[in-house]
Amino acid sequence: MPASDESLHTTATDLRMATFRLARRLRRERADDHISDAHFAVLASLKMNGALTIGALAQRERVTAPTMSSTVAALVEDGYVTRVQDADDRRRVQVEITDAGTAVVTETVRKRDAALSDALSELDFTETELRTLRDASALMRKVAER
């Protein structure tokens, strides 16, 4: 039986509030306090997907190409990415993460995972509750990736 509109709305509200609060708390954990969330998202995307064009990055991050161009320029200046000519089409430029950019992503993820792990351990969840959280995270990922 499908969920009622009221149940869907209540669930959406509860999920939104919990997600935003948790995300805000985790965003405070970063390897470089001067890097913005938008810049970190670009670095994480490059680390996960490899080199991309500015257009592809803009599409992934749902921003305009000029906005992404400014973001990339700032990341180049900080030494976190480089621009590299495309091997197949020398007119195209790929944005590639540097070792320093990879280190920022790796350390930020480590800090965020540690903070969340610490929070979970302080709450003394049972194995059943932790399994429920893992199941819920899979469902949340499904919603986020639709």
Side-chain angles (χ1 to χ4, degrees):
M1 174 188 312
S4 70
D5 287 347
E6 184 177 336
S7 178
L8 287 172
H9 179 74
T10 300
T11 301
T13 299
D14 291 347
L15 184 58
R16 175 186 50 79
M17 290 174 57
T19 301
F20 284 156
R21 291 176 102 175
L22 181 58
R24 190 175 331 124
R25 183 174 177 182
L26 291 176
R27 278 195 304 263
R28 290 191 302 243
E29 302 294 331
R30 47 179 81 161
D32 179 345
D33 289 335
H34 298 72
I35 194 166
S36 72
D37 293 334
H39 289 191
F40 178 78
V42 169
L43 291 176
S45 184
L46 290 170
K47 183 177 184 293
M48 188 180 342
N49 300 297
L52 296 167
T53 64
I54 287 185
L57 278 169
Q59 187 174 18
R60 275 188 178 280
E61 297 304 314
R62 295 187 171 122
V63 298
T64 65
T67 296
M68 184 54 67
S69 192
S70 295
T71 297
V72 167
L75 291 169
V76 166
E77 188 174 314
D78 290 341
Y80 293 141
V81 301
T82 59
R83 291 185 183 98
V84 182
Q85 272 190 332
D86 188 288
D88 297 328
D89 182 350
R90 299 188 62 77
R91 295 170 295 171
R92 265 191 5 200
V93 173
Q94 299 276 335
V95 179
E96 195 171 83
I97 193 167
T98 64
D99 289 344
T102 299
V104 165
V105 173
T106 301
E107 180 60 13
T108 298
V109 168
R110 187 201 65 73
K111 284 181 147 199
R112 289 177 178 179
D113 285 350
L116 191 50
S117 182
D118 288 348
L120 291 173
S121 70
E122 288 172 12
L123 294 169
D124 201 27
F125 284 116
T126 66
E127 281 300 319
T128 300
E129 289 171 322
L130 290 174
R131 190 171 29 262
T132 299
L133 283 172
R134 285 192 299 275
D135 291 345
S137 69
L139 294 173
M140 290 172 66
R141 189 176 308 111
K142 188 174 177 179
V143 171
E145 293 173 354
R146 72 160 184 80

